[in-house]
Amino acid sequence: MTDPRTPDDAAPAPAPRRTRNGQVVVGPTLRARYVPAALIGLPLVAALLSPFAGAVIQQWRSSRLRGGHDGPLVQLLEPAGVQLLLGALALWALFALWALVPLLLTHRVVLLDERAGTLALHSGLRVADRASLAQVRFATGDAERGGLALIGVEGAAGTDGEEPQRQWVVPESGWDAAAFDGLRTLQAAAGLRPAPPRAELVRENRRSRRERSHRELAARLGMPWRQEYAHDEAAFQAEFDRLRRVLGGKERPRDGDPRT
């Protein structure tokens, strides 16, 4: 999760997606999530399964021929390549429909109307909740795919005088830069410190993962850790390889090197 209060005065202004009436989309749109799968992933799956669909088309054509039907469509389907192509296209269309329906019913996104100062949580085909910007208490989110955005919204005062807080969950807050910029825009509009741009956070997350991996490798080898290794991968790799040669007896050790 990112901290919306992390200062980054030099960060570029957010560029979120907007609806036709100008509302800011917090999170990925349905189109942003669906199009990559429909145009890249599903065609590959359909191509792999096209022989099965082609066999079904061949069986249909054979039954038509046995029934004495020899029309233009039956003649068109005679080549095996045509059968495979049409089978792949049919599977592509079927898979695209199957993928769209559950995504349409489960998609969650928040729409921010900056002029009216209102928020609306859309879940599937309905509006699940509404709030005003003044009710937003926190807004955080992951900058990488698979993460969540959490938006804390206060409710009406209860009988004990305390104000219950609702928590909105928006999946895939780090789907892409535009989706994450929607969250950054909400943070700024609610008076919170906007998070750094997604690209910057992704780079830092990857660097920190590499650092943790390098620390584990260094600990297994008994290699002293230096702070420069956190940002200089080449320096770490050079020293790590040298110590491996030392422990393998291929190079003379230096003072302070680990011993076998």
Side-chain angles (χ1 to χ4, degrees), residues 24-247:
V24 174
V25 181
V26 182
T29 60
L30 183 66
R31 176 185 175 86
R33 295 183 63 184
Y34 178 73
V35 168
L39 298 183
I40 300 175
L42 296 181
L44 294 177
V45 176
L48 291 175
L49 298 179
S50 59
F52 299 99
V56 173
I57 294 176
Q58 175 61 26
Q59 288 294 328
W60 177 85
R61 180 177 179 275
S62 299
S63 65
R64 297 289 292 178
L65 288 175
R66 287 193 298 268
H69 302 284
D70 190 17
L73 180 59
V74 175
Q75 296 177 9
L76 176 66
L77 294 177
E78 182 178 2
V82 175
Q83 296 173 9
L84 291 176
L85 177 60
L86 292 181
L89 292 175
L91 288 176
W92 183 10
L94 181 61
F95 292 159
L97 180 61
W98 280 352
L100 178 61
V101 172
L103 186 60
L104 184 64
L105 296 177
T106 61
H107 186 64
R108 291 172 65 90
V109 72
V110 171
L111 298 184
L112 165 63
D113 190 331
E114 295 176 286
R115 291 174 295 182
T118 58
L119 297 163
L121 174 63
H122 289 251
S123 180
L125 301 176
R126 64 187 181 89
V127 178
D129 203 354
R130 296 182 184 274
S132 66
L133 276 175
Q135 293 177 279
V136 177
R137 290 295 169 261
F138 65 85
T140 61
D142 292 312
E144 299 192 44
R145 291 193 176 186
L148 302 171
L150 300 178
I151 303 172
V153 179
E154 69 176 14
T159 56
D160 55 0
E162 295 184 357
E163 295 180 343
Q165 184 169 277
R166 313 188 304 274
Q167 184 169 276
W168 294 357
V169 179
V170 180
E172 297 292 352
S173 59
W175 181 263
D176 54 17
F180 193 71
D181 278 352
L183 178 64
R184 296 177 62 213
T185 302
L186 170 61
Q187 292 168 344
L192 304 171
R193 176 77 69 175
R198 178 179 182 270
E200 179 180 333
L201 292 174
V202 169
R203 284 196 302 269
E204 177 58 25
N205 289 341
R206 291 175 180 172
R207 187 206 63 77
S208 62
R209 285 196 293 267
R210 286 197 302 268
E211 180 182 350
R212 288 195 299 270
S213 176
H214 290 168
R215 284 182 180 271
E216 292 176 1
L217 292 174
R220 293 177 185 176
L221 208 62
M223 170 182 168
W225 182 261
R226 300 176 185 173
Q227 192 58 38
E228 64 180 291
Y229 297 155
H231 300 279
D232 192 341
E233 187 173 358
F236 167 81
Q237 194 64 48
E239 181 65 9
F240 183 77
D241 292 340
R242 186 189 70 81
L243 287 179
R244 290 179 63 188
R245 292 193 297 270
V246 169
L247 295 176

